[in-house]
Amino acid sequence: MNLQLTEEQEMMQKMVRDFAQREVATAVKRMEEEDRFPRVLVQKMGELGLMGIPIPEKYGGSGFDFTSYIIAIHELARENAALGVILSVHTSVGTNPILYFGTEEQKQRYVPKLASGEFLGAFALTEPGAGSDAARLKTKAEKKGDNYFITGSKVFITNGGEADTYVVFARTSPEKGAKGVTAFIVEKDAKGLIVGKKERKMGLHGSNTVTLTFDQCEVPEENRLGEEGEGFKIAMANLDRGRIGIAAQALGITEAAVKHATDYAKERHQFGKPIARHQGVSFKLADMATQAEAARQLTYYAASLQSKGLPCGKEASMAKMYASKTARQAAIEAVQIFGGYGYTKDYPAERLFRDAKVTEIYEGTNEIQHKVISKHLLGI
Ligand code: CAA
């Protein structure tokens, strides 16, 4: 396994790192305070080609490999985790389902706009009563003539209040369980689509998370994605790729925690020397850095499999599970190293902790990742 970056991947890393340090780092304070979607930054990401990194040039994308896309999330999240998830959801589950499962006509109609950043993508699977148990979703889609009419509600929809297109999952067959779910591409101005309450979240300020209500929402048959009954597989297959993106986001948070805690430990003096010279602190930093490296290897390994078109469901879940747990632990330790200052909003550690927590929850809780990994191991 070669985890060295190629020349092209190094180019992507440098470009996104420059952008993140120049434009994103300076916007963090305002995003934290205002909790407003960073439209201007997302527009600039579109101009840099970041909104369509792994999308073929034929569909208006940048034509880079999947690992380059993971590099971009990693680099953005090191400065601001909200931008990491905006990009991850837009690409992995907002655009890729159309690219991988759409008809040629659907791809031509939507993918170039999503890849250029003209459109923002979102993914609507989760419901109030169907989170981890996604196959139990109740939102239904009834066919009348050439249209489907979708009724139900979706919750925790990332990018939801800002998106132009939604990949929506609804039940077309009440008795068939997972095989009764169908996917649709729903445009933001579809009749009967109502964007509801914006969540006030613990962290990831700037990332927009809303409830969606579908009230007999009218969707033309030509916007059905895949066949009737294929929706659950479409959701799962894209979540496999999506989970590598969340692992990269968590990795960015971890590395930020290590960096800030290390810098602070070198300059903060107690008992006549920098706290980094006390073993209680230096060993913590050693553990944090080691776990960050392990998370990096798992994440980039899963990405390299996906880049080669190889199966990566198990590795994606392992990367997501480990990297998110590491992010939470590293951020807690960073707060501890900063001491009282770590508990204030004047230093980055408390934001990293608040941002880290959700990576253990969304795109499948870590308990669900255990279930996926054990299923791969046991073959049951
Ligand atoms: N790829 C393709 N097909 C898959 C698959 C995959 N990775 N996983 C399962 N399937 C197929 C199965 O093969 C099966 O089909 P067959 O019967 O034809 O074989 C069908 O789907 C049902 O599979 P299971 O019986 O394994 O399904 P299950 O009901 O036990 O659920 C689960 C499996 C892994 C728990 C799944 O429900 C799950 O992933 N839950 C978590 C949901 C989730 O991640 N939600 C995230 C929301 S999006 C989000 O968070 C975005 C954001 O904002 C950041």
Side-chain angles (χ1 to χ4, degrees):
M1 175 180 64
N2 179 9
L3 285 175
Q4 287 299 108
L5 300 187
T6 63
E7 229 173 86
E8 194 179 74
Q9 290 163 351
E10 276 180 3
M11 226 170 69
M12 177 62 70
Q13 186 182 53
K14 183 174 178 334
M15 193 249 284
V16 185
R17 191 171 289 176
D18 287 351
F19 170 72
Q21 289 176 350
R22 202 180 53 244
E23 311 245 4
V24 178
T26 49
V28 172
K29 193 164 178 284
R30 210 177 55 242
M31 280 170 73
E32 272 305 301
E33 282 165 6
E34 296 175 8
D35 192 11
R36 192 142 33 101
F37 187 80
R39 260 285 155 205
V40 175
L41 284 177
V42 172
Q43 197 180 326
K44 285 186 183 164
M45 282 160 59
E47 285 158 16
L48 289 172
L50 303 185
M51 300 305 276
I53 297 170
I55 310 300
E57 287 169 286
K58 179 180 169 200
Y59 296 111
S62 302
F64 282 66
D65 68 356
F66 188 83
T67 300
S68 303
Y69 156 66
I70 288 304
I71 289 169
I73 298 173
H74 176 187
E75 292 298 327
L76 288 171
R78 208 186 277 129
E79 298 301 335
N80 179 263
L83 276 171
V85 78
I86 291 168
L87 178 61
S88 181
V89 166
H90 165 80
T91 313
S92 294
V93 288
T95 307
N96 276 345
I98 307 176
L99 180 68
Y100 284 89
F101 294 93
T103 60
E104 190 52 36
E105 202 271 326
Q106 289 170 338
K107 291 190 227 184
Q108 296 287 355
R109 184 144 46 107
Y110 294 110
V111 177
K113 287 186 173 147
L114 286 158
S116 67
E118 181 187 339
F119 274 13
L120 185 71
F123 179 81
L125 175 69
T126 305
E127 298 183 0
S132 292
D133 192 0
R136 295 257 171 148
L137 62 84
K138 286 208 175 94
T139 293
K140 58 177 186 191
E142 283 176 305
K143 186 139 185 263
K144 288 181 203 153
D146 292 339
N147 292 320
Y148 285 89
F149 291 84
I150 303 181
T151 304
S153 51
K154 299 283 178 183
V155 290
F156 305 131
I157 307 307
T158 302
N159 293 347
E162 302 288 332
D164 298 278
T165 52
Y166 302 83
V167 175
V168 178
F169 298 87
R171 183 162 294 291
T172 41
S173 181
E175 67 288 351
K176 286 193 184 158
K179 289 194 170 58
V181 175
T182 302
F184 298 90
I185 307 164
V186 179
E187 296 189 14
K188 71 169 178 203
D189 47 12
K191 209 167 123 198
L193 169 60
I194 303 149
V195 174
K197 165 173 94 96
K198 177 182 152 193
E199 300 296 346
R200 293 171 62 232
K201 303 190 298 288
M202 174 196 270
L204 289 190
H205 292 170
S207 148
N208 174 277
T209 309
V210 299
T211 298
L212 299 176
T213 302
F214 296 84
D215 179 9
Q216 290 283 312
C217 174
E218 195 174 328
V219 181
E221 184 177 6
E222 69 209 35
N223 276 29
R224 190 187 67 220
L225 191 57
E227 296 302 321
E228 277 200 9
E230 266 187 0
F232 193 69
K233 283 194 182 187
I234 294 176
M236 291 298 116
N238 286 289
L239 281 169
D240 282 350
R241 282 182 278 272
R243 287 167 183 160
I244 310 174
I246 301 305
Q249 183 204 19
L251 177 59
I253 297 170
T254 305
E255 290 183 353
V258 176
K259 182 191 176 298
H260 289 299
T262 305
D263 291 350
Y264 182 77
K266 285 201 278 196
E267 81 194 25
R268 166 81 174 165
H269 283 66
Q270 289 292 278
F271 303 102
K273 57 185 177 183
I275 60 170
R277 294 210 174 263
H278 294 287
Q279 203 176 68
V281 172
S282 63
F283 278 23
K284 264 195 213 315
L285 290 169
D287 277 340
M288 288 159 71
T290 306
Q291 286 159 6
E293 182 56 28
R296 191 182 75 82
Q297 303 233 6
L298 281 171
T299 304
Y300 278 80
Y301 177 57
S304 74
L305 293 178
Q306 174 59 34
S307 288
K308 293 189 190 108
L310 296 169
C312 65
K314 180 181 74 182
E315 291 76 8
S317 284
M318 286 176 165
K320 197 267 189 195
M321 182 175 85
Y322 187 82
S324 59
K325 185 170 151 194
T326 297
R328 191 240 311 146
Q329 288 171 339
I332 289 176
E333 292 295 41
V335 172
Q336 189 69 17
I337 290 169
F338 274 86
Y341 296 111
Y343 204 63
T344 71
K345 290 195 180 292
D346 297 334
Y347 290 84
E350 66 85 35
R351 168 175 56 83
L352 295 171
F353 172 61
R354 289 184 289 102
D355 287 352
K357 184 57 208 166
V358 76
T359 64
E360 294 189 296
I361 298 172
Y362 57 26
E363 297 219 7
T365 62
N366 280 2
E367 291 73 14
I368 289 298
Q369 307 312 324
H370 277 93
K371 188 169 151 78
V372 173
I373 296 162
S374 55
K375 212 166 178 174
H376 277 282
L377 289 177
L378 303 168
I380 50 172

